[in-house]
């Protein structure tokens, strides 16, 4: 593609980007076996079934062999999922290299297909990262997984960032077959999705402790985020900053039109604990440069 892209017609580019989308969907990593597997991790980092101690005591050799095979199967499936995650990182980076090289050759339809491919990768990675049972199991497997927590955070962040890039550049470039309403709708929905996921992630890390204040009810006191959750939110911060900046760049009319949908998310961000100050600075800029003027106009009208 890098060498022959200049020779591709629009139809050929559609074939290329459709193939890239198929490749992205064919390599989605998954971990359902981890959630269902009744496997523990020994001190040496090897996977063991909860009943393997009985087998090792000689009570049932064939049962022990079966459990050993089961543990090996889990290890093989885990290796496959890790391999797929690595392939997807390489794939989305290759997609961006191709896009940056031939951005002016691609029609709006081709870029939307690339956007859909990246969005499929991002939303799938988010579902994996949002599975608390899976994350707990993976932490138990720690020595053998060699995965961060959440396991696909980099994949989620990068693919969402590429989605933003595609849509923002479409609005700037207006290539052949560009449909303004479609692209703007995609961008607004994407920004809402990213902000909502961030808020949900931050809230999930804030445990609440009940303190009795009266016979009729209780007051909930929020416990500060733990170090692991703060690191996760700090890693998510650049994407949230880019999303807030994308919202501010929607243009006065489109921003004001969609402010009723964005405002609850913005207010939740104000009350959310963050892993770094980046989000708060970007939020302050948005409130002063974009939200403030809209509110002032409504007060004066």
């Amino acid at each position: 593609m890098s060498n022959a892209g200049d020779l591709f017609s629009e139809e050929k580019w559609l074939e290329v980007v459709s193939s890239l989308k198929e490749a992205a969907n064919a390599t989605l990593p998954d971990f359902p076996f981890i959630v269902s597997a009744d496997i523990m991790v020994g001190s040496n980092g090897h996977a063991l079934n909860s009943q393997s101690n009985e087998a090792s005591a000689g009570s049932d050799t064939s049962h022990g062999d079966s459990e050993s095979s089961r543990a090996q199967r889990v290890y093989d499936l885990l290796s496959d999922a890790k391999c797929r995650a690595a392939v997807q990182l390489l794939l989305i980076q290759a997609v961006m290299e191709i896009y940056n090289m031939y951005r002016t050759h691609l029609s709006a339809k081709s870029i939307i297909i690339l956007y859909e491919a990246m969005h499929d990768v991002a939303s799938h990675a988010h579902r994996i990262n949002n599975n608390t049972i899976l994350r707990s199991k993976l932490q138990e497997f720690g020595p053998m997984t060699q995965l961060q927590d959440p396991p696909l955070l980099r994949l989620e962040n990068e693919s969402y960032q590429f989605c933003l890039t595609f849509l923002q550049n479409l609005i700037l470039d207006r290539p052949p077959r560009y449909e303004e309403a479609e692209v703007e709708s995609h961008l607004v929905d994407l920004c809402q999705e990213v902000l909502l996921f961030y808020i949900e992630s931050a809230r999930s890390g804030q445990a609440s402790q009940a303190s009795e204040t009266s016979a009729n009810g209780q007051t909930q006191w929020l416990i500060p985020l733990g170090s692991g959750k703060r690191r996760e939110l700090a890693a998510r911060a650049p994407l949230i900053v880019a999303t807030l900046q994308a919202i501010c760049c929607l243009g006065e009319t489109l921003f004001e039109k969609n402010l009723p949908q964005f405002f609850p998310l913005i207010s939740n961000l104000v009350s959310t604990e963050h892993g770094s100050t980046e989000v708060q600075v970007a939020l302050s800029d948005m409130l002063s440069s974009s939200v403030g003027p809209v509110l002032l106009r409504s007060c004066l009208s």
Side-chain angles (χ1 to χ4, degrees):
M1 294 180 211
S2 298
N3 294 328
D6 287 323
L7 306 175
F8 293 169
S9 63
E10 182 179 342
E11 291 72 22
K12 290 299 179 185
W13 269 118
L14 284 172
E15 286 185 38
V16 168
V17 297
S18 296
S19 295
L20 288 169
K21 182 179 179 181
E22 289 176 19
N25 285 318
T27 54
L28 292 172
D30 214 348
F31 300 84
F33 53 90
I34 293 292
V35 177
S36 60
D38 183 21
I39 303 291
M40 297 189 303
V41 179
S43 59
N44 57 0
H46 294 297
L48 300 170
N49 185 269
S50 59
Q51 299 175 356
S52 62
N53 288 335
E54 297 177 10
S56 63
S59 60
D60 189 343
T61 305
S62 62
H63 180 70
D65 291 341
S66 174
E67 295 304 332
S68 177
S69 297
R70 187 169 174 226
Q72 183 61 44
R73 175 63 175 161
V74 170
Y75 180 82
D76 292 342
L77 290 170
L78 180 60
S79 297
D80 177 77
K82 289 166 58 181
C83 181
R84 285 170 174 265
V87 167
Q88 289 224 307
L89 278 171
L90 293 172
L91 183 61
I92 65 172
Q93 289 162 5
V95 166
M96 284 309 296
E97 288 178 15
I98 296 296
Y99 168 76
N100 289 330
M101 193 176 298
Y102 295 108
R103 174 176 163 182
T104 58
H105 292 68
L106 298 172
S107 67
K109 185 176 181 180
S110 292
I111 296 173
I112 288 295
I113 291 174
L114 290 179
Y115 162 77
E116 291 171 346
M118 292 300 99
H119 189 260
D120 287 345
V121 171
S123 57
H124 179 82
H126 175 76
R127 285 194 295 273
I128 298 293
N129 292 331
N130 203 42
N131 189 327
T132 54
I133 297 175
L134 170 64
R135 288 172 61 175
S136 177
K137 285 271 190 177
L138 286 173
Q139 285 182 308
E140 291 177 17
F141 278 71
M144 65 179 289
T145 64
Q146 297 179 341
L147 288 167
Q148 63 175 342
D149 180 50
L152 302 180
L153 183 57
R154 181 184 170 192
L155 185 60
E156 180 184 346
N157 281 342
E158 288 193 15
S159 46
Y160 268 128
Q161 181 63 66
F162 293 159
C163 286
L164 273 176
T165 299
F166 286 142
L167 296 179
Q168 288 182 285
N169 287 348
L170 270 172
I171 293 174
L172 289 174
D173 298 342
R174 297 177 175 268
R177 300 194 183 185
Y178 172 75
E179 295 184 16
E180 184 176 29
E182 177 190 19
V183 175
E184 290 178 347
S185 176
H186 278 313
L187 183 56
V188 169
D189 290 345
L190 178 67
C191 290
Q192 287 181 278
E193 180 179 324
V194 170
L195 294 182
L196 179 61
F197 287 168
Y198 177 83
I199 291 167
E200 289 176 345
S201 179
R203 294 285 169 86
S204 69
Q206 287 184 305
S208 60
Q209 180 176 340
S211 173
E212 287 193 16
T213 56
S214 68
N216 297 326
Q218 293 178 326
T219 299
Q220 298 293 324
W221 302 93
L222 289 178
I223 298 174
L225 294 173
S227 59
K229 178 57 71 171
R230 292 186 70 85
R231 284 194 298 271
E232 177 188 338
L233 294 179
R236 293 181 183 275
L239 174 63
I240 302 306
V241 170
T243 301
L244 292 174
Q245 292 171 344
I247 294 172
C248 292
C249 293
L250 287 174
E252 186 177 296
T253 302
L254 191 59
F255 178 85
E256 189 167 351
K257 174 185 174 183
N258 289 282
L259 186 56
Q261 285 74 44
F262 285 125
F263 196 80
L265 297 170
I266 295 170
S267 61
N268 278 322
L269 281 175
V270 171
S271 62
T272 297
E273 189 175 352
H274 305 283
S276 72
T277 59
E278 294 175 72
V279 176
Q280 292 156 302
V281 171
L283 189 57
S284 175
D285 291 342
M286 167 184 273
L287 290 172
S288 61
S289 65
S290 299
V291 178
V294 173
L295 296 179
L296 287 173
R297 283 198 300 273
S298 65
C299 292
L300 296 173
S301 60

